[in-house]
Amino acid sequence: MKRVDVDIAIIGAGSAGMTAYRAAVAHTDSVLVIESGEYGTTCARVGCMPSKLLIAAADAAHAVSQAGLFGVEVDGTRVDGKAVMQRVRDERDRFVGFVVGAVEKWPDRHKLRGRARFVAPNVLRVDDDTEVHARRIVIATGSSPVLPPGWRDSLGDRLIVNDDVFSWQDLPRSVAVTGGGVIGLELSQALSRLGVKVRLLGRNGRIGPLTDPAVVGEARAIFTESMQFAPETTQVQAKREGNGVLVTFTENGVEQAEHVDYMLVAAGRRANLHDLELQHAGLGLDEVGIPRVDRQTGRIGDSPVFMAGDAGTATPLLHEATDEGYLAGDNAGRYPHVQPHPRRAPLGIVFTDPQIAIVGVGHAALVEQGVRFETGTVNFNDQGRSRVMAQNRGLLAVYGEVGTGRFLGAEMIGPAAEHIGHLLAWALQQHQTVVQMLACPFYHPTVEEGLRTALRDLEQRLRPAMSMPDDCMDCTPGT
């Protein structure tokens, strides 16, 4: 058994692990990154970038199909599935190449290939031939798609996850997608616009990350109108039938069946912790064997072990993973002089059409936390610039704290949500009040003028609530 002694061992070379490495080597040259799979982040290889490449192709096809709205006549639309997927793979490989190239520049002494597991506190066994004794450890093992029990065995290559989509050589004829979350929504709409027959099966009426009842209702109406989307299905079953899959499900008490080429599971992701044998790590674990991580330091309890990225967060987003990688790697380097790092305002975006954005903790969390707040809204149906572009669909809800007038966050589905979301996240991080936000410029004619309408509505609702004496205040959070 080969023994390696290092100051810091980092398990995983994804977005969080790579950032942790860069932060750690600023403190010590005795760093080892252990990776069991291919180099190249989830984002570049099977996540953010290839999905946006597919969505870009779908947006182009949709733009052609909608050209008649503007008096522009186009003689038919033909989608070349092979060409679409060739560009997706080529550009995906380009992005992955940048990541792999960065890792290849690291010194060889900083890299070790193999699967790591704990055999004792501060001791990792990598495969069966190396023991790594590390004074500090960063866990950045990422996450993997969750699959229903038994489906892999019964469906074989007809069962796919989002990772598999981006290796297609051509577009299939039909796909059933289970899961109405971010991945399910994005891929379902993109494939549908590219001519694939898609059936999206949701559960419990969930629409991506949205929690505000009014915004959820607007989103449900938009997506059920634009594609085959059943947001509240139960008893979803799938079995292999010939060279395809027979999918059965119940919607509104009615059992339905459909034969498709593939079953795409987009039912969430699970942290890659099951192979680490954390019971040997000397960490405090919760009732299901998961360590509790300090969000401000990345540290697990009072141990010299840190966690970052999808392995330890409920928000599997690239910018969150890199932030957590930095604070975990930096504090591993500083240990035992661990320092808290300020976190950025929460921001989530879904690249559907219309786009979805959540700023802050969201409506449901505000209610659960007992925050006294009011809501201002704008419907984009008659918003000027949105109507000019024929993108006048959606609803924006902004939240403000009763008493202080401080902006608390927003949920929206609508045009330019990725840009409006950024503006609102900056305002939230700067602790701005609604009045301060309204004092900022809003150019005409822009979609952002819709944001001003929502903020004005919110300011008017906050004004009487703020003037009430405390003993008259309705403590039920506003909606």
Side-chain angles (χ1 to χ4, degrees):
M1 183 74 64
K2 179 183 178 182
R3 173 169 172 152
V4 179
D5 290 89
V6 294
D7 286 342
I8 301 171
I10 300 171
I11 312 173
S15 297
M18 291 180 67
T19 310
Y21 169 79
R22 289 191 289 267
V25 294
H27 297 277
T28 174
D29 187 58
S30 181
V31 178
L32 183 66
V33 179
I34 306 166
E35 174 58 62
S36 62
E38 295 179 281
Y39 290 128
T41 63
T42 295
C43 171
R45 192 178 294 278
V46 295
C48 320
M49 304 314 293
S51 66
K52 302 312 165 286
L53 286 162
L54 190 70
I55 290 169
D59 287 347
H62 184 68
V64 172
S65 71
Q66 298 298 299
L69 289 173
F70 303 93
V72 178
E73 298 300 327
V74 179
D75 297 330
T77 303
R78 186 182 72 85
V79 175
D80 184 338
K82 291 183 177 179
V84 168
M85 296 312 303
Q86 184 68 56
R87 181 174 188 266
V88 169
R89 295 194 311 275
D90 287 348
E91 290 296 314
R92 182 271 314 272
D93 292 346
R94 180 173 175 269
F95 289 122
V96 171
F98 294 145
V99 179
V100 173
V103 175
E104 288 176 344
K105 293 178 182 177
W106 297 351
D108 289 342
R109 66 181 182 280
H110 289 175
K111 295 178 286 187
L112 178 62
R113 302 306 297 268
R115 186 171 298 279
R117 67 186 190 277
F118 283 89
V119 293
N122 296 84
V123 181
L124 301 169
R125 184 162 296 167
V126 181
D127 293 339
D128 294 318
D129 55 12
T130 304
E131 272 195 357
V132 176
H133 292 247
R135 297 174 183 84
R136 285 92 73 191
I137 296 172
V138 176
I139 298 172
T141 47
S143 64
S144 299
V146 175
L147 297 176
W151 279 24
R152 175 64 74 189
D153 292 336
S154 62
L155 300 182
D157 64 356
R158 298 291 103 178
L159 176 70
I160 59 173
V161 295
N162 62 290
D163 303 30
D164 304 313
V165 169
F166 310 118
S167 296
W168 279 344
Q169 302 296 309
D170 198 353
L171 293 169
R173 293 170 301 175
S174 58
V175 176
V177 181
T178 177
V182 174
I183 295 173
L185 283 173
E186 287 187 350
L187 291 182
S188 294
Q189 186 180 66
L191 292 172
S192 178
R193 288 184 167 184
L194 289 168
V196 179
K197 182 181 179 183
V198 177
R199 169 78 76 163
L200 175 57
L201 308 175
R203 291 186 60 190
N204 304 320
R206 177 187 176 192
I207 311 291
L210 295 172
T211 67
D212 187 307
V215 184
V216 169
E218 182 77 10
R220 182 185 294 115
I222 289 171
F223 290 126
T224 53
E225 178 184 333
S226 62
M227 59 182 174
Q228 286 192 305
F229 177 28
E232 298 188 62
T233 60
T234 59
Q235 303 177 30
V236 177
Q237 301 292 330
K239 69 175 183 178
R240 185 73 176 251
E241 190 173 84
N243 202 28
V245 179
L246 178 65
V247 182
T248 59
F249 59 94
T250 299
E251 180 185 14
N252 299 324
V254 179
E255 184 174 320
Q256 301 187 48
E258 190 159 349
H259 189 276
V260 294
D261 292 337
Y262 291 98
M263 185 77 208
L264 170 57
V265 176
R269 298 178 71 88
R270 178 183 295 119
N272 294 330
L273 300 175
H274 51 281
D275 290 336
L276 288 180
E277 300 188 19
L278 291 173
Q279 68 273 20
H280 302 308
L283 306 173
L285 306 178
D286 65 16
E287 59 277 4
V288 293
I290 304 299
R292 291 183 173 89
V293 183
D294 185 331
R295 191 169 183 270
Q296 303 301 317
T297 64
R299 188 181 182 186
I300 299 173
D302 59 357
S303 75
V305 181
F306 301 80
M307 185 176 285
D310 292 6
T313 183
T315 52
L317 304 170
L318 174 74
H319 68 279
E320 293 283 355
T322 54
D323 284 354
E324 291 174 3
Y326 174 78
L327 69 89
D330 182 60
N331 277 325
R334 294 178 182 275
Y335 183 86
H337 306 293
V338 173
Q339 296 182 354
H341 290 251
R343 300 301 301 270
R344 304 179 209 236
L347 171 63
I349 296 169
V350 186
F351 293 88
T352 49
D353 179 20
Q355 294 178 339
I356 292 171
I358 289 189
V359 177
V361 297
H363 181 277
L366 291 174
V367 172
E368 183 179 347
Q369 294 168 11
V371 178
R372 295 190 305 175
F373 70 95
E374 288 291 340
T375 302
T377 61
V378 62
N379 191 297
F380 287 95
N381 288 352
D382 288 321
Q383 200 277 322
R385 179 64 184 279
S386 301
R387 193 166 187 86
V388 165
M389 300 183 297
Q391 296 177 10
N392 51 316
R393 298 171 298 164
L395 181 70
L396 165 63
V398 289
Y399 315 120
E401 185 175 40
V402 172
T404 66
R406 184 169 59 92
F407 174 64
L408 296 175
E411 295 194 20
M412 76 171 292
I413 179 169
E418 63 179 293
H419 306 299
I420 292 175
H422 276 87
L423 291 178
L424 292 176
W426 294 355
L428 180 63
Q429 187 159 314
Q430 294 170 4
H431 307 289
Q432 290 187 356
T433 66
V434 175
V435 171
Q436 288 173 326
M437 295 167 71
L438 282 168
C440 295
F442 291 85
Y443 199 83
H444 175 77
T446 61
V447 177
E448 284 75 10
E449 287 180 298
L451 168 59
R452 181 177 59 187
T453 300
L455 290 171
R456 283 175 171 171
D457 183 36
L458 176 57
E459 194 272 334
Q460 291 174 0
R461 294 175 185 275
L462 285 171
R463 197 180 305 163
M466 292 171 64
S467 65
M468 290 182 184
D470 289 343
D471 57 357
C472 296
M473 188 69 68
D474 180 0
C475 292
T476 302
T479 51

